[in-house]
Amino acid sequence: MEENDNRLNKTMASHSGMSDEVLGCVMPYIHDPKDRDAVSLVCRRWYELDALTRKHITIALCYTTSPDRLRRRFKYLESLKLKGKPRAAMFNLIPEDWGGYVTPWVNEIAENFSCLKSVHFRRMIVLDSDLEILARSRGNVLHVLKLDKCSGFSTDGLLHVGRLCRQLRTLFLEESSIIEIDGQWLHEIAINNSVLETLNFYMTDLVKVSFEDLVLIAINCRYLVSVKISDCEILHLVGFFRVAAVLVEFCGGSFNDEPEKYTAVLFPPKLCRLGLTYMGKNEMPIVFPFALLLKKLDLLYALLDTEDHCLLIQKCPNLEVLETRNVIGDRGLEVLARSCKRLKRLRIERGADEQGMEDEEGVVSQRGLTALAQGCLELEYIAVYVSDVTNESLECIGTYSKNLCDFRLVLLDQVERITELPLDNGVRALLRGCEKLKRFALYLRPGGLTDVGLGYIGQYSPNVRWMLLGCVGESDNGLLEFSRGCPSLQKLEMRGCSFSEHGLAAAVMKLTSLRYLWVQGYRASSQSGHDLLAMTRPYWNIELIPARRVVMTDQVGEAVVVENPAHILAYYSLAGPRTDFPDTVIPLDLLVAG
């Protein structure tokens, strides 16, 4: 870092204008990426200062630039977040071999990024050799390692991390597909690390871990505040909870014994963020003694019905974050609205039909949405699967949820008849009322939103940067009207819409801020994709994934063959077309040329 400071001082001293001392004091306090980008455009001097002082970079798609370009521009980075596969990969919509390999990035990090302390890879393919190189080159200074929804590595790779990354504060593996060989990786952390604060292997298949190692980690790491683990018997964690005195967050576990035995489980006194997998009605009372302290509650994998949700939620008046499934029902949302006035984030996923928990109460509709909007005025994030919805309920959200920054709604196909469609006026009222919205997702069904409603989305989304639209609009006319608005839109994802290739291309050319487009399900005008050429522009890569049949597992665990419609992926890239295309991905220029 001394070399960095010397270069900064020399650069500042060689220019006149704003006081070097003032500029040197101001730059470290500019953190927002958009502000940093604006600063770097002022003049050459500020561009150089930004390059020297930028601490963190997020690359939303690993193919938009190259490792060497990043190194030339920001050699003194301390934190890097890198995303690989498109977001649709989380829903099994992207081929597993699509790409997103960390190897070239890890090699560059190992050789040239001497200040890097934090690495976050999301939806990428990570090899054991990548982890070994990273651990050997950066292990003595690496504070944060996040492998977020990644695949391709095993516990042998984690073994290098446990042995060599002794200054690690955060190890995050949540929802990664990891090949488990043994649990030695956790033992290495237990005997080598004394500064760990966050350990997360939640929603993974890592089950060969030793409870003694968890206890040893809690003993050695005095600042261990968050632990999220895979399925394991809660009774085996009694010793861990006893010594993890400063723990504030725990997720995972399972309940496989007689309910009365769980009275022996005492959670740490500072615990306020909790998620207990497979917790049922009989085990729920172990939460009651400290329910008043809870700020976050994850019930996504709990086995609770609507009545259980109501009973538990009313005991948690200080909740700020709730994650659950739609079995909470309208009645549960009404209890939430009355009891949890500090709620800021609510996520309601679709429940599994085969669990037999989706009784007539276990659905979310306009009734629950209306109660929620009127009762929880501090909401900033809502993601919800609904079985029914009305314009009035969406208008209610626009009226009361003035702090909402992120809104996502999916209309399920469980009910044959929806009370009120289309939702044009409700969507307009929501967008007009929620002026802080930066992220917006609306997935309906045919007839849910007309071309007029799609135009409203464009007109009243001045600050929205990311948008997902599903089964909206009627024709290309609606899409073109939409594209006349959305001045800040950078990422657009669409599914199941009726737009043609020509309409998509025309819309892209009007969305001047757009940097990323993903579409699945559209009207192909020809096998060659010739009409998509109209959206070509400098630094714009266009890739196609042809329609294909894939084998998937249904809700009852049986293999079924599913028709997967064609995809379009287009994105800006300073690195040019990528070179690691699998057979399932075809660059548009090659398709047209062929």
Side-chain angles (χ1 to χ4, degrees), residues 232-238 241 250 252-255 262 265 276 286:
C232 72
E233 173 54 56
I234 286 289
L235 291 175
H236 295 159
L237 299 174
V238 171
F241 290 137
F250 175 79
S254 61
F255 298 85
Y262 294 101
V265 178
L276 296 176
I286 70 171

Side-chain angles (χ1 to χ4, degrees), residues 17 91 123 186 349 397 470:
F91 308 98
R123 297 191 300 268
L186 189 64
E349 293 285 346
I397 293 173

Side-chain angles (χ1 to χ4, degrees), residues 223-278:
Y223 301 105
L224 188 69
V225 295
S226 175
V227 173
K228 302 176 72 172
I229 64 176
S230 54
D231 300 347
C232 72
E233 173 54 56
I234 286 289
L235 291 175
H236 295 159
L237 299 174
V238 171
F240 166 75
F241 290 137
R242 186 182 301 119
V243 296
V246 299
L247 199 70
V248 299
E249 179 175 37
F250 175 79
C251 284
S254 61
F255 298 85
N256 305 300
D257 217 318
E258 297 298 323
E260 57 270 16
K261 292 186 178 181
Y262 294 101
T263 57
V265 178
L266 296 177
F267 291 101
K270 296 184 179 181
L271 196 70
C272 60
R273 302 168 71 85
L274 181 68
L276 296 176
T277 51
Y278 310 119

